[in-house]
Amino acid sequence: MPAPERIPPRSMSSSPETLSAAELLAHGELTVRGRVGEASNAVLYCSVVHEGREAACVYKPVAGEQPLWDFPDGTLAQREVAAYEISEATGWGLIPPTVLREGPYGEGMVQLWIEADPEARLLALTEDEEAGEGWKAVGPAQIAEDRTALLVHADTPELRRLAVLDAVINNGDRKGGHLLPAPDGRLYGIDHGVTFHVEDKLRTLLWGWAGEELPAESVAVLDDLDRALTPGAPLVARLAELLTGAEVAAVRARVAALRASGRHPEPSGLWPPIPWPPV
């Protein structure tokens, strides 16, 4: 018997190859191989096999979610899938293929595993007063008892798209470890359970563009997203399966606010702007 064909870690598009990746995640046999890191919620590294095809993936069972004071219990997996649906609606493909399905420990989120490029640098600390060329300043960071450094992130179109996506989904936990630059040059964001709150919860390391005008590309995408969020549209129907009515309405309101301002959001001052720990 020939060895199962591995599916490359790519985001879904309209190509047959990546569509079969979604089918693999949704219908394949899921086998737990180990646990990922020291996350507060259960994050399981798995293999998934279907009709001779195989891929590595992450499985986050709802049963392994720890309660949060400001989010309803047992909803993080659905929020991860909703974030993927929004990402796909933008056309940017910033989140790996993600499905909600039954697994060895009950219903959970299953997402294609992405191997990050260890040589890629998206975040850095500099002792210069300003960010250098190709970088955007986030703010000062304490690196020793009597020393601070400037935290900066890369100034790339892909990272800027992710900052816009985070504003739309109200991401309350954009840490450095949630940024996965792939060897092929693509960028992926992961860990989107703390999203879609009706209150402003945006916490991110990607504040370098705060207050700046949105690129024309982002404005066009937000216009398209606004139309896709029209009541009764397919995207709205899909989100209604994953979020509350108030949360779906809040997505529409955030898109409208971004279009009206034409600028990247700034920290509200009502909530810590940077997640902890930042990495």
Side-chain angles (χ1 to χ4, degrees):
M1 178 181 296
E5 178 185 356
R6 281 205 164 270
I7 294 179
R10 296 185 58 181
S11 197
M12 280 208 301
S13 67
S14 59
S15 71
E17 176 187 27
T18 49
L19 284 175
S20 64
E23 182 180 45
L24 172 62
L25 292 174
H27 304 295
E29 181 180 354
L30 202 60
T31 302
V32 177
R33 303 297 183 185
R35 184 160 184 167
V36 179
E38 299 177 354
S40 57
N41 299 310
V43 182
L44 306 176
Y45 178 77
C46 301
S47 63
V48 61
V49 180
H50 184 58
E51 296 183 352
R53 297 175 71 82
E54 179 182 8
C57 61
V58 170
Y59 164 48
K60 298 182 182 179
V62 173
E65 296 178 6
Q66 296 297 313
L68 297 174
W69 69 270
D70 52 349
F71 282 81
D73 293 350
T75 66
L76 304 190
Q78 291 93 325
R79 295 172 193 279
E80 295 239 32
V81 178
Y84 168 71
E85 296 288 351
I86 294 289
S87 170
E88 288 299 283
T90 65
W92 286 332
L94 292 169
I95 298 177
T98 310
V99 302
L100 191 68
R101 58 162 288 180
E102 286 292 321
Y105 299 103
E107 186 180 58
M109 181 279 283
V110 177
Q111 185 175 81
L112 196 66
W113 178 267
I114 300 295
E115 289 289 349
D117 180 359
E119 301 300 319
R121 293 178 68 230
L122 297 178
L123 297 166
L125 289 168
T126 177
E127 296 192 8
D128 296 336
E129 293 184 0
E130 297 182 359
E133 184 177 355
W135 297 89
K136 302 292 287 188
V138 179
Q142 194 80 29
I143 59 175
E145 185 175 344
D146 58 348
R147 289 178 59 206
T148 61
L150 184 64
L151 176 64
V152 298
H153 65 65
D155 184 8
T156 68
E158 295 79 14
L159 210 56
R160 193 166 190 174
R161 292 169 186 162
L162 191 60
V164 174
L165 177 65
D166 282 343
V168 170
I169 66 176
N170 197 15
N171 192 352
D173 197 31
R174 177 59 74 203
K175 298 175 180 176
H178 299 168
L179 304 172
L180 300 183
D184 65 1
R186 296 191 63 175
L187 173 69
Y188 298 92
I190 60 170
D191 287 347
H192 298 101
V194 187
T195 50
F196 296 104
H197 203 285
V198 295
E199 299 176 6
D200 180 9
K201 296 282 188 177
L202 186 59
R203 293 194 302 172
T204 176
L205 289 177
L206 305 181
W207 286 116
W209 299 284
E212 292 187 14
E213 288 189 9
L214 292 167
E217 176 202 38
S218 295
V219 172
V221 165
L222 290 168
D223 289 344
D224 291 341
L225 193 55
D226 181 68
R227 287 187 287 271
L229 289 167
T230 302
L235 178 59
V236 174
R238 177 59 177 143
L239 292 177
E241 299 172 353
L242 303 164
L243 306 170
T244 68
E247 288 166 343
V248 176
V251 176
R252 190 179 304 115
R254 286 192 294 272
V255 170
L258 287 167
R259 294 175 68 230
S261 72
R263 296 182 178 275
H264 286 271
E266 299 182 77
S268 66
L270 303 174
W271 189 258
I274 294 177
W276 186 262
V279 178

